[in-house]
Amino acid sequence: MSSEPGARRADAVRNRGLALDAAKQLLAQPEAQLTVEKIAQRAGLGAGTVVRAFGGKDALLDAAVAELLTPIVARGRELAATPDEAALRTFLVELSAFQREHYAISEQIAGLSLPATAALEAELGGVLRDLLAAGRAAGRIRTDIALETAVVLVGEAAHAVARARKGPGDLGAAFVTVLLDGLRPPSGASTAA
Amino acid sequence: MSSEPGARRADAVRNRGLALDAAKQLLAQPEAQLTVEKIAQRAGLGAGTVVRAFGGKDALLDAAVAELLTPIVARGRELAATPDEAALRTFLVELSAFQREHYAISEQIAGLSLPATAALEAELGGVLRDLLAAGRAAGRIRTDIALETAVVLVGEAAHAVARARKGPGDLGAAFVTVLLDGLRPPSGASTAA
DNA sequence: TGACATCTGGAACGCCCCTTCCACATAATG
DNA sequence: CATTATGTGGAAGGGGCGTTCCAGATGTCA
């Protein structure tokens, strides 16, 4: 196409995609250890190729996690756009399902600095904030807990569901139920129990 | 004392204690990396001595975590013995405070097989089960969520508080409040939000 | 098709960390 | 105090893993 010497070769682009897909697949398997070697093996590439395509393992993880996170964040934005009564519940159900599916993510990225992932997580926080704020405005969410606190609380709860993947199968549903009931405006003595 | 050749030397016993204390201290510092070298350094011992005293790093961690867990479990048993109205709340507050204090534990023991720790965690589950069962019997805890599910839910929630140690300071209190309100028997349409 | 920049595989390298080993030190005993 | 089993420090061993390197392969374009 372009004769300029800076152009990327087609196979390099393709291999980058293969590595990304392999990493995404492994992120859905909590047992698999996420080494460069394993990713390369699954992608049918050499280890050097995988690393070079991204400039390092961290950058590869960042790209893979970001791609996994993108649809959930988009879905959240969609729900937050028209925050009807069930929007928050729907999003929490889908978010905890996603977390459970891709549990390995949080284990693997712990302690790493992944810019794209961090940006999407911030955006996810924004979605939760919008949903909670809408619920507050409609009188469906208690206001005696700071909005920011509630955002973190809900986010961590979704994570907690994923963490206990060996737990009962209805844990996710129970968590959402308890969380939403607990987030409703208290009637009478709220913190008595 | 005893002339039998199997007796342990006094300095060996003392050094074992030093290593244990050092490990426990490091478990309270989330930033510190928990290597044998660091533990030995903090204990004023050689790396070999630390490992030999326990037979391996895992066994050392097991012993250290078990010692940290013991008081909380004991406290839980005490509260569960006379489960009055505030027992569950009190225990959750103390448990989440402990988790926050010793957050590094769950990161460090992930994927390891620690017998003593596992036994204490099981016992902690038993304490939560007792407290929740007492609450159910008294009509203070909803019964439309399986007891076992609720146990895991509460346990994971306590962990979630610890995980977000960068979060708002009132996160722990908010979590306990929301959790307990959400666990109360639903009045009217419970899962409507 | 020829010429060249780019890419690839996988070996080699360096780093980290747990474990083992051993010459030396120290507690225990009579 | 002499003797001996036990313990100690820290260097060496060994495995895992990310990264780098390079000779050979391959895509690209005239």
Side-chain angles (χ1 to χ4, degrees), chain A residues 177-178 180-182 184-190, chain B residues 139-144 180-193:
Chain A
T177 297
V178 169
L180 288 177
D181 282 357
R184 289 194 301 189
S187 56
S190 68
Chain B
R140 280 181 276 109
I141 299 290
R142 65 200 299 169
T143 54
D144 61 339
L180 289 177
D181 281 357
L183 279 171
R184 290 194 301 188
S187 56
S190 68
T191 63

Side-chain angles (χ1 to χ4, degrees), chain A residues 151-162:
Chain A
V151 168
V152 176
L153 190 148
V154 170
E156 290 304 321
H159 176 83
V161 173

Side-chain angles (χ1 to χ4, degrees), chain B residues 96-192:
Chain B
S96 55
F98 170 83
Q99 290 271 40
R100 186 173 266 258
E101 179 81 9
H102 299 279
Y103 172 67
I105 289 179
S106 48
E107 302 239 292
Q108 293 296 342
I109 72 174
L112 272 47
S113 155
L114 309 182
T117 298
L120 280 167
E121 283 180 342
E123 203 168 343
L124 198 141
V127 165
L128 289 176
R129 185 161 23 248
D130 289 349
L131 286 169
L132 286 168
R136 285 170 74 141
R140 280 181 276 109
I141 299 290
R142 65 200 299 169
T143 54
D144 61 339
I145 290 175
L147 181 58
E148 201 53 41
T149 300
V151 169
V152 176
L153 190 148
V154 170
E156 290 304 321
H159 176 83
V161 173
R163 183 172 178 272
R165 62 189 186 282
K166 301 169 193 164
D170 61 343
L171 182 63
F175 229 122
V176 172
T177 297
V178 169
L179 205 58
L180 289 177
D181 281 357
L183 279 171
R184 290 194 301 188
S187 56
S190 68
T191 63

Side-chain angles (χ1 to χ4, degrees), chain A residues 15-181:
Chain A
N15 287 339
R16 194 192 136 101
L18 288 174
L20 205 50
D21 287 345
K24 279 159 57 177
Q25 286 172 31
L26 287 178
L27 277 171
Q29 299 181 358
E31 322 302 340
Q33 62 226 72
L34 205 58
T35 69
V36 169
E37 200 74 37
K38 295 255 196 255
I39 297 171
Q41 192 174 329
R42 174 170 283 257
L45 300 172
T49 303
V50 169
V51 170
R52 205 172 336 95
F54 291 87
K57 190 200 182 186
D58 288 9
L60 163 56
L61 277 185
D62 193 21
V65 174
E67 278 206 3
L68 289 172
L69 242 45
T70 296
I72 298 291
V73 172
R75 172 69 171 146
R77 263 198 305 246
E78 176 188 327
L79 285 167
T82 58
D84 62 358
E85 190 142 359
L88 180 56
R89 163 172 287 269
T90 301
F91 186 55
L92 286 185
V93 167
E94 295 182 5
L95 180 59
S96 54
F98 170 83
Q99 290 270 42
R100 187 174 265 257
E101 179 80 10
H102 299 279
Y103 172 66
I105 289 179
S106 48
E107 302 238 291
Q108 293 296 340
I109 72 174
L112 273 45
S113 154
L114 309 182
T117 298
L120 279 167
E121 281 179 345
E123 204 168 341
L124 197 141
V127 165
L128 289 176
R129 186 161 22 248
D130 289 349
L131 286 169
L132 286 168
R136 285 171 74 142
R140 280 180 277 110
I141 298 290
R142 67 201 297 168
T143 54
D144 61 339
I145 290 176
L147 181 58
E148 201 53 40
T149 299
V151 168
V152 176
L153 190 148
V154 170
E156 290 304 321
H159 176 83
V161 173
R163 184 172 177 273
R165 62 189 185 283
K166 301 168 193 164
D170 60 344
L171 182 64
F175 229 122
V176 171
T177 297
V178 169
L179 204 59
L180 288 177
D181 282 357

Side-chain angles (χ1 to χ4, degrees), chain B residues 47-122:
Chain B
T49 303
V50 169
V51 170
R52 207 175 334 97
F54 291 87
K57 190 199 181 186
D58 287 10
L60 163 57
L61 276 185
D62 193 20
V65 173
E67 278 205 4
L68 289 172
L69 242 43
T70 296
I72 298 292
V73 172
R75 173 69 172 145
R77 263 197 306 246
E78 176 189 328
L79 285 167
T82 58
D84 63 356
E85 189 143 358
L88 180 55
R89 162 172 287 269
T90 301
F91 186 54
L92 286 186
V93 167
E94 296 181 5
L95 180 58
S96 55
F98 170 83
Q99 290 271 40
R100 186 173 266 258
E101 179 81 9
H102 299 279
Y103 172 67
I105 289 179
S106 48
E107 302 239 292
Q108 293 296 342
I109 72 174
L112 272 47
S113 155
L114 309 182
T117 298
L120 280 167
E121 283 180 342

